[in-house]
mmCIF file of all heavy atoms in Angstrom:
data_model
loop_
_atom_site.group_PDB
_atom_site.id
_atom_site.type_symbol
_atom_site.label_atom_id
_atom_site.label_comp_id
_atom_site.label_asym_id
_atom_site.label_seq_id
_atom_site.Cartn_x
_atom_site.Cartn_y
_atom_site.Cartn_z
ATOM 1 N N LEU N 656 -10.845 -9.292 -4.131
ATOM 2 C CA LEU N 656 -10.731 -9.427 -5.578
ATOM 3 C C LEU N 656 -9.276 -9.579 -6.000
ATOM 4 O O LEU N 656 -8.936 -10.461 -6.803
ATOM 5 C CB LEU N 656 -11.352 -8.196 -6.258
ATOM 6 C CG LEU N 656 -11.189 -8.111 -7.778
ATOM 7 C CD1 LEU N 656 -11.889 -9.264 -8.469
ATOM 8 C CD2 LEU N 656 -11.715 -6.771 -8.292
ATOM 9 N N GLU N 657 -8.396 -8.756 -5.448
ATOM 10 C CA GLU N 657 -6.985 -8.802 -5.849
ATOM 11 C C GLU N 657 -6.321 -10.096 -5.401
ATOM 12 O O GLU N 657 -5.582 -10.732 -6.169
ATOM 13 C CB GLU N 657 -6.241 -7.594 -5.278
ATOM 14 C CG GLU N 657 -6.667 -6.283 -5.906
ATOM 15 C CD GLU N 657 -5.763 -5.121 -5.552
ATOM 16 O OE1 GLU N 657 -4.914 -5.271 -4.632
ATOM 17 O OE2 GLU N 657 -5.886 -4.065 -6.173
ATOM 18 N N LEU N 660 -7.840 -13.101 -7.389
ATOM 19 C CA LEU N 660 -7.445 -13.053 -8.789
ATOM 20 C C LEU N 660 -6.006 -13.521 -8.963
ATOM 21 O O LEU N 660 -5.682 -14.267 -9.890
ATOM 22 C CB LEU N 660 -7.611 -11.629 -9.330
ATOM 23 C CG LEU N 660 -7.663 -11.454 -10.847
ATOM 24 C CD1 LEU N 660 -8.775 -12.290 -11.460
ATOM 25 C CD2 LEU N 660 -7.850 -9.975 -11.187
ATOM 26 N N MET N 664 -5.247 -16.914 -11.124
ATOM 27 C CA MET N 664 -4.467 -16.812 -12.359
ATOM 28 C C MET N 664 -3.008 -17.200 -12.181
ATOM 29 O O MET N 664 -2.298 -17.396 -13.166
ATOM 30 C CB MET N 664 -4.553 -15.384 -12.905
ATOM 31 C CG MET N 664 -5.940 -14.954 -13.363
ATOM 32 S SD MET N 664 -6.544 -15.914 -14.752
ATOM 33 C CE MET N 664 -5.450 -15.353 -16.051
ATOM 34 N N GLN N 666 -0.498 -15.436 -11.313
ATOM 35 C CA GLN N 666 0.334 -14.410 -11.919
ATOM 36 C C GLN N 666 0.372 -13.190 -11.008
ATOM 37 O O GLN N 666 -0.456 -13.032 -10.108
ATOM 38 C CB GLN N 666 -0.231 -14.003 -13.276
ATOM 39 C CG GLN N 666 -0.108 -15.075 -14.358
ATOM 40 C CD GLN N 666 1.267 -15.089 -14.996
ATOM 41 O OE1 GLN N 666 1.640 -14.191 -15.727
ATOM 42 N NE2 GLN N 666 2.024 -16.133 -14.725
ATOM 43 N N GLY N 667 1.349 -12.308 -11.264
ATOM 44 C CA GLY N 667 1.461 -11.079 -10.501
ATOM 45 C C GLY N 667 0.478 -10.023 -10.967
ATOM 46 O O GLY N 667 -0.465 -10.297 -11.711
ATOM 47 N N GLY N 668 0.719 -8.761 -10.559
ATOM 48 C CA GLY N 668 -0.233 -7.690 -10.806
ATOM 49 C C GLY N 668 -0.498 -7.388 -12.261
ATOM 50 O O GLY N 668 -1.557 -6.854 -12.598
ATOM 51 N N TYR N 669 0.425 -7.719 -13.145
ATOM 52 C CA TYR N 669 0.220 -7.485 -14.573
ATOM 53 C C TYR N 669 -0.419 -8.695 -15.252
ATOM 54 O O TYR N 669 -1.408 -8.587 -15.976
ATOM 55 C CB TYR N 669 1.550 -7.147 -15.256
ATOM 56 C CG TYR N 669 1.454 -6.976 -16.754
ATOM 57 C CD1 TYR N 669 0.941 -5.813 -17.307
ATOM 58 C CD2 TYR N 669 1.874 -7.991 -17.617
ATOM 59 C CE1 TYR N 669 0.841 -5.649 -18.682
ATOM 60 C CE2 TYR N 669 1.781 -7.842 -18.994
ATOM 61 C CZ TYR N 669 1.262 -6.669 -19.519
ATOM 62 O OH TYR N 669 1.160 -6.521 -20.877
ATOM 63 N N GLY N 670 0.128 -9.872 -15.000
ATOM 64 C CA GLY N 670 -0.320 -11.080 -15.690
ATOM 65 C C GLY N 670 -1.748 -11.481 -15.389
ATOM 66 O O GLY N 670 -2.412 -12.093 -16.230
ATOM 67 N N VAL N 671 -2.262 -11.130 -14.194
ATOM 68 C CA VAL N 671 -3.617 -11.563 -13.842
ATOM 69 C C VAL N 671 -4.664 -10.976 -14.780
ATOM 70 O O VAL N 671 -5.727 -11.568 -14.980
ATOM 71 C CB VAL N 671 -3.980 -11.189 -12.387
ATOM 72 C CG1 VAL N 671 -3.140 -11.940 -11.396
ATOM 73 C CG2 VAL N 671 -3.897 -9.690 -12.166
ATOM 74 N N TRP N 672 -4.361 -9.839 -15.383
ATOM 75 C CA TRP N 672 -5.367 -9.191 -16.223
ATOM 76 C C TRP N 672 -5.407 -9.759 -17.631
ATOM 77 O O TRP N 672 -6.121 -9.246 -18.496
ATOM 78 C CB TRP N 672 -5.156 -7.677 -16.216
ATOM 79 C CG TRP N 672 -5.442 -7.139 -14.858
ATOM 80 C CD1 TRP N 672 -4.542 -6.737 -13.916
ATOM 81 C CD2 TRP N 672 -6.728 -7.018 -14.238
ATOM 82 N NE1 TRP N 672 -5.169 -6.372 -12.751
ATOM 83 C CE2 TRP N 672 -6.515 -6.530 -12.920
ATOM 84 C CE3 TRP N 672 -8.032 -7.269 -14.663
ATOM 85 C CZ2 TRP N 672 -7.576 -6.302 -12.040
ATOM 86 C CZ3 TRP N 672 -9.075 -7.035 -13.786
ATOM 87 C CH2 TRP N 672 -8.845 -6.557 -12.487
ATOM 88 N N LYS N 673 -4.705 -10.858 -17.847
ATOM 89 C CA LYS N 673 -4.920 -11.631 -19.069
ATOM 90 C C LYS N 673 -6.333 -12.206 -19.070
ATOM 91 O O LYS N 673 -6.842 -12.604 -20.118
ATOM 92 C CB LYS N 673 -3.899 -12.767 -19.165
ATOM 93 C CG LYS N 673 -2.478 -12.280 -19.403
ATOM 94 C CD LYS N 673 -1.481 -13.427 -19.376
ATOM 95 C CE LYS N 673 -0.052 -12.929 -19.567
ATOM 96 N NZ LYS N 673 0.939 -14.015 -19.486
ATOM 97 N N ILE N 674 -6.947 -12.249 -17.906
ATOM 98 C CA ILE N 674 -8.329 -12.708 -17.811
ATOM 99 C C ILE N 674 -9.266 -11.733 -18.516
ATOM 100 O O ILE N 674 -10.364 -12.081 -18.917
ATOM 101 C CB ILE N 674 -8.732 -12.869 -16.325
ATOM 102 C CG1 ILE N 674 -10.004 -13.706 -16.193
ATOM 103 C CG2 ILE N 674 -8.935 -11.530 -15.651
ATOM 104 C CD1 ILE N 674 -10.358 -14.045 -14.752
ATOM 105 N N CYS N 675 -8.820 -10.499 -18.674
ATOM 106 C CA CYS N 675 -9.614 -9.454 -19.324
ATOM 107 C C CYS N 675 -8.644 -8.546 -20.082
ATOM 108 O O CYS N 675 -8.306 -7.455 -19.618
ATOM 109 C CB CYS N 675 -10.379 -8.674 -18.257
ATOM 110 S SG CYS N 675 -11.714 -7.664 -18.883
ATOM 111 N N PRO N 676 -8.170 -8.994 -21.251
ATOM 112 C CA PRO N 676 -7.033 -8.342 -21.918
ATOM 113 C C PRO N 676 -7.187 -6.854 -22.173
ATOM 114 O O PRO N 676 -6.205 -6.121 -22.113
ATOM 115 C CB PRO N 676 -6.930 -9.115 -23.242
ATOM 116 C CG PRO N 676 -7.543 -10.436 -22.952
ATOM 117 C CD PRO N 676 -8.638 -10.176 -21.985
ATOM 118 N N ILE N 677 -8.389 -6.398 -22.458
ATOM 119 C CA ILE N 677 -8.552 -4.982 -22.767
ATOM 120 C C ILE N 677 -8.282 -4.098 -21.549
ATOM 121 O O ILE N 677 -8.014 -2.912 -21.676
ATOM 122 C CB ILE N 677 -9.959 -4.706 -23.334
ATOM 123 C CG1 ILE N 677 -9.936 -3.427 -24.186
ATOM 124 C CG2 ILE N 677 -11.001 -4.612 -22.237
ATOM 125 C CD1 ILE N 677 -11.161 -3.249 -25.041
ATOM 126 N N PHE N 678 -8.325 -4.697 -20.362
ATOM 127 C CA PHE N 678 -8.027 -3.957 -19.136
ATOM 128 C C PHE N 678 -6.675 -4.360 -18.537
ATOM 129 O O PHE N 678 -6.447 -4.161 -17.349
ATOM 130 C CB PHE N 678 -9.141 -4.166 -18.103
ATOM 131 C CG PHE N 678 -10.334 -3.299 -18.339
ATOM 132 C CD1 PHE N 678 -11.539 -3.846 -18.749
ATOM 133 C CD2 PHE N 678 -10.256 -1.928 -18.165
ATOM 134 C CE1 PHE N 678 -12.646 -3.051 -18.972
ATOM 135 C CE2 PHE N 678 -11.356 -1.121 -18.371
ATOM 136 C CZ PHE N 678 -12.558 -1.678 -18.791
ATOM 137 N N GLN N 679 -5.786 -4.891 -19.356
ATOM 138 C CA GLN N 679 -4.474 -5.258 -18.837
ATOM 139 C C GLN N 679 -3.642 -4.024 -18.482
ATOM 140 O O GLN N 679 -2.627 -4.120 -17.801
ATOM 141 C CB GLN N 679 -3.713 -6.133 -19.842
ATOM 142 C CG GLN N 679 -2.669 -7.009 -19.163
ATOM 143 C CD GLN N 679 -2.260 -8.191 -20.015
ATOM 144 O OE1 GLN N 679 -2.802 -8.421 -21.094
ATOM 145 N NE2 GLN N 679 -1.311 -8.961 -19.536
ATOM 146 N N GLY N 680 -4.122 -2.860 -18.924
ATOM 147 C CA GLY N 680 -3.484 -1.620 -18.506
ATOM 148 C C GLY N 680 -3.556 -1.407 -17.007
ATOM 149 O O GLY N 680 -2.750 -0.657 -16.443
ATOM 150 N N ILE N 681 -4.530 -2.060 -16.339
ATOM 151 C CA ILE N 681 -4.594 -1.994 -14.875
ATOM 152 C C ILE N 681 -3.299 -2.538 -14.281
ATOM 153 O O ILE N 681 -2.741 -1.972 -13.339
ATOM 154 C CB ILE N 681 -5.802 -2.787 -14.342
ATOM 155 C CG1 ILE N 681 -7.107 -2.142 -14.792
ATOM 156 C CG2 ILE N 681 -5.758 -2.899 -12.817
ATOM 157 C CD1 ILE N 681 -8.350 -2.952 -14.445
ATOM 158 N N GLY N 682 -2.816 -3.651 -14.866
ATOM 159 C CA GLY N 682 -1.566 -4.241 -14.393
ATOM 160 C C GLY N 682 -0.387 -3.309 -14.607
ATOM 161 O O GLY N 682 0.510 -3.215 -13.757
ATOM 162 N N CYS N 683 -0.368 -2.608 -15.738
ATOM 163 C CA CYS N 683 0.696 -1.626 -15.992
ATOM 164 C C CYS N 683 0.641 -0.507 -14.955
ATOM 165 O O CYS N 683 1.674 -0.087 -14.414
ATOM 166 C CB CYS N 683 0.545 -1.032 -17.389
ATOM 167 S SG CYS N 683 0.764 -2.202 -18.738
ATOM 168 N N THR N 685 -0.661 -0.495 -11.854
ATOM 169 C CA THR N 685 -0.257 -0.911 -10.509
ATOM 170 C C THR N 685 1.244 -1.134 -10.419
ATOM 171 O O THR N 685 1.855 -0.859 -9.384
ATOM 172 C CB THR N 685 -0.991 -2.199 -10.086
ATOM 173 O OG1 THR N 685 -0.712 -3.246 -11.029
ATOM 174 C CG2 THR N 685 -2.489 -1.978 -10.016
ATOM 175 N N THR N 863 -2.158 -8.920 -5.051
ATOM 176 C CA THR N 863 -2.268 -9.864 -6.162
ATOM 177 C C THR N 863 -1.034 -10.746 -6.227
ATOM 178 O O THR N 863 -1.130 -11.968 -6.415
ATOM 179 C CB THR N 863 -2.435 -9.104 -7.486
ATOM 180 O OG1 THR N 863 -3.534 -8.203 -7.368
ATOM 181 C CG2 THR N 863 -2.691 -10.059 -8.633
ATOM 182 N N PHE N 1026 -11.560 0.850 -11.975
ATOM 183 C CA PHE N 1026 -11.474 0.027 -13.183
ATOM 184 C C PHE N 1026 -11.330 -1.462 -12.856
ATOM 185 O O PHE N 1026 -11.765 -2.308 -13.632
ATOM 186 C CB PHE N 1026 -10.328 0.504 -14.075
ATOM 187 C CG PHE N 1026 -10.675 1.718 -14.882
ATOM 188 C CD1 PHE N 1026 -10.212 2.966 -14.525
ATOM 189 C CD2 PHE N 1026 -11.509 1.610 -15.989
ATOM 190 C CE1 PHE N 1026 -10.550 4.099 -15.256
ATOM 191 C CE2 PHE N 1026 -11.852 2.729 -16.734
ATOM 192 C CZ PHE N 1026 -11.373 3.982 -16.371
ATOM 193 N N GLU N 1027 -10.742 -1.795 -11.718
ATOM 194 C CA GLU N 1027 -10.695 -3.198 -11.310
ATOM 195 C C GLU N 1027 -12.115 -3.733 -11.108
ATOM 196 O O GLU N 1027 -12.439 -4.846 -11.548
ATOM 197 C CB GLU N 1027 -9.887 -3.345 -10.014
ATOM 198 C CG GLU N 1027 -8.395 -3.222 -10.192
ATOM 199 C CD GLU N 1027 -7.629 -3.464 -8.906
ATOM 200 O OE1 GLU N 1027 -8.239 -3.433 -7.818
ATOM 201 O OE2 GLU N 1027 -6.405 -3.674 -8.983
ATOM 202 N N ALA N 1028 -12.940 -2.942 -10.421
ATOM 203 C CA ALA N 1028 -14.324 -3.364 -10.180
ATOM 204 C C ALA N 1028 -15.112 -3.452 -11.485
ATOM 205 O O ALA N 1028 -15.874 -4.399 -11.701
ATOM 206 C CB ALA N 1028 -15.003 -2.397 -9.203
ATOM 207 N N ALA N 1030 -13.909 -3.965 -14.520
ATOM 208 C CA ALA N 1030 -13.385 -5.047 -15.354
ATOM 209 C C ALA N 1030 -13.963 -6.398 -14.962
ATOM 210 O O ALA N 1030 -14.370 -7.194 -15.820
ATOM 211 C CB ALA N 1030 -11.859 -5.084 -15.275
ATOM 212 N N ILE N 1031 -14.035 -6.671 -13.661
ATOM 213 C CA ILE N 1031 -14.538 -7.971 -13.201
ATOM 214 C C ILE N 1031 -16.052 -7.962 -13.066
ATOM 215 O O ILE N 1031 -16.740 -8.908 -13.475
ATOM 216 C CB ILE N 1031 -13.882 -8.361 -11.859
ATOM 217 C CG1 ILE N 1031 -12.373 -8.567 -12.047
ATOM 218 C CG2 ILE N 1031 -14.517 -9.626 -11.305
ATOM 219 C CD1 ILE N 1031 -12.004 -9.666 -13.014
ATOM 220 N N PHE N 1151 -13.845 -8.599 -24.940
ATOM 221 C CA PHE N 1151 -13.026 -7.951 -23.929
ATOM 222 C C PHE N 1151 -12.326 -8.914 -22.987
ATOM 223 O O PHE N 1151 -11.467 -8.510 -22.227
ATOM 224 C CB PHE N 1151 -13.897 -7.004 -23.101
ATOM 225 C CG PHE N 1151 -14.268 -5.751 -23.814
ATOM 226 C CD1 PHE N 1151 -15.151 -4.863 -23.238
ATOM 227 C CD2 PHE N 1151 -13.723 -5.451 -25.050
ATOM 228 C CE1 PHE N 1151 -15.496 -3.688 -23.897
ATOM 229 C CE2 PHE N 1151 -14.063 -4.290 -25.705
ATOM 230 C CZ PHE N 1151 -14.955 -3.408 -25.139
ATOM 231 N N ASN N 1153 -11.051 -13.139 -21.724
ATOM 232 C CA ASN N 1153 -10.851 -14.563 -21.906
ATOM 233 C C ASN N 1153 -11.815 -15.279 -20.986
ATOM 234 O O ASN N 1153 -11.930 -14.938 -19.812
ATOM 235 C CB ASN N 1153 -9.421 -14.956 -21.534
ATOM 236 C CG ASN N 1153 -8.444 -14.534 -22.594
ATOM 237 O OD1 ASN N 1153 -8.684 -14.722 -23.777
ATOM 238 N ND2 ASN N 1153 -7.330 -13.941 -22.173
#
Side-chain angles (χ1 to χ4, degrees):
L656 174 63
E657 291 191 348
L660 198 57
M664 294 296 291
Q666 290 278 290
Y669 176 77
V671 294
W672 293 104
K673 291 175 182 178
I674 196 173
C675 196
I677 204 166
F678 279 111
Q679 205 160 356
I681 295 173
C683 295
T685 58
T863 306
F1026 281 103
E1027 285 184 344
I1031 295 299
F1151 286 174
N1153 285 315

